[in-house]
Amino acid sequence: MGTLIAPSLLAADFGNLERDCKMVNASEADWFHIDVMDGVFVPNISFGMPVLKSIASHAEKPLDVHLMIVEPERYIDTFADLGSDILTIHYEASIHLHRTLQSIKEKGMKAGVALNPHTSVELLEPIINEIDLVCLMSVNPGFGGQRFIEATYQKVRKLKTIIENADAATLIEIDGGVTDQNANQLISCGADVLVAGSYVFSSNDPKVTLSGLKNLS
Ligand code: DX5
Ligand code: ZN
């Protein structure tokens, strides 16, 4: 399997969401990455259900939903109804993580766990076989356009070893500050999915930029 590319709609032009969704549909990107922020778990608020429904109505590729919210278990049905294919919750926001992952899968979605930069990958070892995707935050969650944290490479390597030792099928996703400057190294460390927001949408031709990321290695 080649590396999957998931452009983050957080960096899209909200006045032209339909246009940007169609660009992603027509591009070599694999998924739509959707960042949901509640202003509590992170200091920023992104978009709510009316906007998400508009995105979902235009998107023709899987919806990779990243919940940066407290008590994510309260919104599992809501995001299943939206048509989410992958629902990722934060380790730091989930007291009963194992139970919440089961609930997500019972709703027919893939279950993801996101880790803040300071959270150790070893914490997921006991339940790695229950996790479809681990999203390693390579910036502090809450905002697009931040600088990539270099310590992420080591976390990717450690997590890859945990996944291989457990014979798990868990995908490793990297989220934050991804560009052509770090993508190759992330892939060689074991990354399976690259999220990119500002690098894609601030470029002159986002479709060409997505193609470049997809065909890096
Ligand atoms: C950050 C979000 C990211 C963000 C990535 O909290 O989870 O998905 O949109 O944006 P860039 O690629 O600009 O760092
Ligand atoms: Zn994200």
Side-chain angles (χ1 to χ4, degrees):
M1 184 192 74
T3 309
L4 301 175
I5 306 298
S8 167
L9 271 284
L10 188 64
D13 177 354
F14 289 178
N16 289 289
L17 261 183
E18 180 176 1
R19 181 200 67 193
D20 284 359
C21 288
K22 285 182 171 165
M23 181 281 294
V24 175
N25 288 338
S27 77
E28 291 182 56
D30 297 278
W31 297 347
F32 283 79
H33 185 82
I34 315 275
D35 290 303
V36 180
M37 305 177 181
D38 65 356
V40 180
F41 181 69
V42 289
N44 193 14
I45 297 174
S46 54
F47 27 57
M49 294 320 290
V51 175
L52 290 170
K53 282 182 182 160
S54 170
I55 294 172
S57 74
H58 298 301
E60 293 170 359
K61 295 181 178 182
L63 299 182
D64 171 36
V65 178
H66 176 193
L67 295 185
M68 284 162 272
I69 67 174
V70 296
E71 299 180 31
E73 60 281 355
R74 292 174 56 207
Y75 289 93
I76 293 171
D77 287 358
T78 305
F79 284 96
D81 292 346
L82 179 75
S84 309
D85 294 275
I86 303 132
L87 190 62
T88 296
I89 57 175
H90 264 265
Y91 176 88
E92 302 83 4
S94 311
I95 297 173
H96 297 288
L97 181 61
H98 184 277
R99 177 188 294 154
T100 306
L101 294 174
Q102 302 312 318
S103 305
I104 291 171
K105 291 191 279 190
E106 276 163 21
K107 281 284 169 180
M109 298 177 284
K110 300 277 187 199
V113 179
L115 300 183
N116 280 340
H118 70 276
T119 305
S120 190
V121 293
E122 283 86 351
L123 292 166
L124 296 180
E125 195 165 7
I127 59 164
I128 196 69
N129 292 93
E130 306 297 328
I131 306 173
D132 294 305
L133 175 146
V134 175
C135 174
L136 293 180
M137 293 306 303
S138 38
V139 298
N140 284 294
F143 302 93
Q146 302 179 81
R147 193 191 164 103
F148 178 82
I149 296 171
E150 301 279 326
T152 308
Y153 297 122
Q154 182 63 11
K155 289 182 79 174
V156 181
R157 281 192 219 99
K158 279 189 189 169
L159 179 58
K160 194 72 177 177
T161 302
I162 291 170
I163 292 167
E164 285 175 353
N165 288 345
D167 207 13
T170 316
L171 297 178
I172 301 177
E173 177 177 72
I174 312 300
D175 188 6
V178 172
T179 69
D180 60 347
Q181 298 300 300
N182 48 36
N184 267 327
Q185 197 172 340
L186 287 166
I187 294 166
S188 63
C189 290
D192 303 293
V193 187
L194 299 178
V195 174
S198 47
Y199 173 65
V200 169
F201 287 97
S202 303
S203 66
N204 286 337
D205 189 336
K207 201 164 156 235
V208 170
T209 306
L210 284 166
S211 176
L213 273 180
K214 183 70 185 172
N215 297 293
L216 264 178
S217 59

